């Protein structure tokens, strides 16, 4: 069977009356929450080093020394778990012509007038922006993070390089926190989204409203595809 | 503890035999890492300085030995690789290091053996303190001494990033940062640093900064009268002057002394990182987080309605086709 255009091979309609659609299976959901937890722990511990007014956050980890050695280790966990997710998701996050139309009508997006927008596959341009933004920033953070990782890589780069690395790390951290806020906000504002990552399914209406091409493809596959 | 120690004016004197109370107090601190609005001390200690006269040094390393002895550090025994430096670099256990350079003077074609005592310069504007994220891990006293308070250190290495002289070293054992203390614990009881006391040629002298500058000027005059026309003082203004400073016979070329920086200052990258990045970063993150929270609570949510659920059912039943098309 050729690869579907707008959906993952595993996505499927679970029931019809009412319609529920399987969006993410167990492994990717578990992995997503590992990524999310790592990111939260990283931003809390990182912000403690970022500004004296937030240094008290090291207390959550049992003190400055612990926060200092833990932060980069969680960074590696984040990197690995995100890369696994990247391999699973990158294909459907490639840009398509519909993304441009969607972005040109960003006003309708914000107002929630989705009937005016083009029909979309599994991801809209906003979701893709978050995906690629996270990808880029996580790569920047791991590379710059290793360059400033005193405990194991203290000798890796020269001190002038290290200065640029720590500046880059701090800026990338601010940027990823902004992307993270946008991500959480969007998932919450677009009601019915969170269950995609908790239960793994969304309602038919949600799929119809936000990702109709994705739903169409799944519906077609259900009718024409091989019986299970 | 009967008497309070006097402020030391020299490293040459011997300590009194009776116990004596410290005269370098927590209240004498003028700057504290990751802490703003430090309450300023009510008294100003006289600024102290250690002067290293490179032209007088014979490279005996008595100063290194004295440093090890006083601070009770145990530098690792290393392998001889055919150079005079021993150990090969500053380490968490070696706060000062004689660095040797064989330099051919292009004007005279003479080989000159340049020996420089490396170690913390005790900057008036310390890059280490500026960079440090841990409140109270680095302090500066009103007499100019920059000291690391190890119980507050988290071992992040930011001081390494901030220091223009490549001085702090992080221990692999206890993950804390170490450097020369200017023997703050000796100065506190009226004594000069151990290295200055041990130096057999008085290449290292200690006293008030004012006295040391006067002495350094005499030394420069003397060197000039003996043909070193570029002799001068290395007390770099880029870091506000230092409380460890040099007399160099070639003060026009500090870098020939094993890469002593020509114009040291806190790197603009570090200034940008600890300055605008922090204030602006905190502001945008704060606005974004609060804005998103408020908007999330009050704005109209993007909800799916009953009609759409019904349409979805129709679409699914029809196998993905409707009047708007199919896939
Ligand atoms: C991806 C792998 C990562 C690695 C290897 C890493 C490593 C590091 C290291 C070594 C430090 C210095 C403090 C310490 O030694 O603990 C640091 C600081 C920091 N990290 Fe990370 N990190 C990573 C990811 C992240 C992420 C995802 C964030 C944000 C959500 C983040 C935010 C920060 C912040 C804000 C600082 C303080 C920077 C400053 O003081 O200006 N890091 N990181
Ligand atoms: S290693 Fe210690 S002294 Fe150096 S910046 Fe970090 S907390 Fe401060
Ligand atoms: S020489 Fe380096 S470690 Fe010493 S006070 Fe200056 S910045 Fe700090
Ligand atoms: S003790 Fe004095 S003469 Fe000997 S190496 Fe140290 S500075 Fe030079």
């Amino acid at each position: 069977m050729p690869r579907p255009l707008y959906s993952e091979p595993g996505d499927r309609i679970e029931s019809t009356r009412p319609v529920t659609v399987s969006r993410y299976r167990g492994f990717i959901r578990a992995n997503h929450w590992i990524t999310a937890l790592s990111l939260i722990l990283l931003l809390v511990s990182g912000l403690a080093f970022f500004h004296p007014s937030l240094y008290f956050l090291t207390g959550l980890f049992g003190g400055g020394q612990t926060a200092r050695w833990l932060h980069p280790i969680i960074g590696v966990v984040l990197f690995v778990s995100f890369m696994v997710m990247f391999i699973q998701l990158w294909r459907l996050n490639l840009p398509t012509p519909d993304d441009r139309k969607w972005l040109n009508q960003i006003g309708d997006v914000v107002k929630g007038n989705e009937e005016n927008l083009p029909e979309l596959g599994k991801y809209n341009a906003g979701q893709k922006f978050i995906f690629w933004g996270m990808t880029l920033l996580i790569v920047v953070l791991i590379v710059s993070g290793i360059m400033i990782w005193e405990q194991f890589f203290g000798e890796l780069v020269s001190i002038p390089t290290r200065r640029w690395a720590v500046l880059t790390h701090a800026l990338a951290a601010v940027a990823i926190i902004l992307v993270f806020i946008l991500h959480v906000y969007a998932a919450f504002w677009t009601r019915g989204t969170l269950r995609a990552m908790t239960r793994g399914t969304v309602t038919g209406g949600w799929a119809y409203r936000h990702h109709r091409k994705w739903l169409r493809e799944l519906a077609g596959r259900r009718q024409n595809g091989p019986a299970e | 503890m009967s008497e309070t120690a006097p402020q030391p004016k020299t490293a040459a004197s011997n300590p009194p035999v009776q116990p004596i109370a410290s005269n370098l107090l927590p209240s004498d601190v003028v700057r504290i890492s990751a802490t703003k609005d430090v309450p300023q001390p009510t008294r100003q200690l006289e600024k102290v300085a250690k002067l290293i006269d490179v032209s007088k040094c014979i490279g005996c390393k008595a100063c290194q030995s004295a440093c090890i002895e006083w601070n009770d550090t145990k530098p690792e025994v290393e392998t001889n690789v055919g150079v005079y430096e021993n150990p090969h670099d500053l380490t968490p256990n070696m706060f000062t290091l004689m660095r040797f350079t064989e330099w051919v003077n292009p004007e005279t074609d003479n080989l000159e053996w340049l020996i420089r005592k490396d170690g913390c310069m005790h900057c008036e504007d310390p890059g280490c303190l500026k960079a440090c994220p841990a409140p109270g891990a680095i302090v500066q006293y009103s007499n100019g001494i920059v000291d690391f308070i190890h119980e507050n250190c988290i071992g992040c290495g930011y001081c390494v990033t901030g220091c223009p002289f490549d001085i702090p070293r992080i221990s692999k054992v206890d993950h804390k940062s170490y450097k020369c203390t200017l023997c703050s614990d000796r100065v506190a009881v009226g004594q000069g640093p151990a290295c200055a006391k041990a130096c057999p040629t008085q290449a290292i002298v200690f006293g008030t900064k004012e006295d040391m500058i006067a002495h350094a000027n005499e030394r420069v005059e003397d060197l000039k009268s003996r043909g070193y026309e570029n002799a001068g003082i290395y007390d770099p203004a880029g870091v506000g002057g230092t409380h460890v400073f040099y007399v160099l016979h070639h003060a026009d070329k500090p870098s020939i002394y094993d890469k002593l920086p020509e114009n040291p200052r806190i790197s603009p990258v570090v200034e940008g990182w600890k300055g605008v990045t922090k204030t602006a970063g905190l502001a945008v993150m704060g606005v974004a987080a609060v804005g998103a929270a408020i908007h999330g609570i009050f704005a109209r949510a993007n909800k799916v309605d009953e009609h759409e659920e019904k349409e979805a059912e129709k679409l699914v039943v029809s196998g993905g086709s409707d009047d708007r098309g199919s896939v």
Side-chain angles (χ1 to χ4, degrees), chain B residues 104-218:
Chain B
V104 180
N105 188 330
E107 276 156 41
T108 60
D109 209 29
N110 271 346
L111 179 78
E112 294 187 22
W113 205 22
L114 308 176
I115 311 170
R116 169 165 78 88
K117 181 182 183 292
D118 196 10
C120 176
M121 302 291 283
H122 295 270
C123 308
E124 189 64 33
D125 186 12
C128 56
L129 190 149
K130 171 156 258 172
C132 178
I138 306 181
V139 298
Q140 184 180 41
Y141 293 99
S142 68
N143 62 6
I145 294 181
V146 176
D147 218 357
F148 286 11
I149 310 296
H150 298 111
E151 66 251 38
N152 297 327
C153 172
I154 64 171
C156 61
Y158 285 9
C159 46
V160 179
T161 308
C163 172
F165 296 96
D166 183 15
I167 299 301
R169 296 290 183 271
I170 317 294
S171 161
K172 291 280 176 233
V173 179
D174 67 2
H175 304 288
K176 289 170 190 285
S177 186
Y178 290 92
K179 70 160 188 73
C180 159
T181 65
L182 206 63
C183 285
S184 55
D185 48 351
R186 292 172 60 88
V187 171
V189 292
Q191 296 295 297
C195 57
K197 181 137 190 177
C199 178
T201 65
Q202 293 192 13
I204 313 174
V205 285
F206 176 83
T208 66
K209 175 108 188 216
E210 204 183 333
D211 288 354
M212 292 304 105
I213 294 272
H215 178 66
N217 281 326
E218 278 170 33

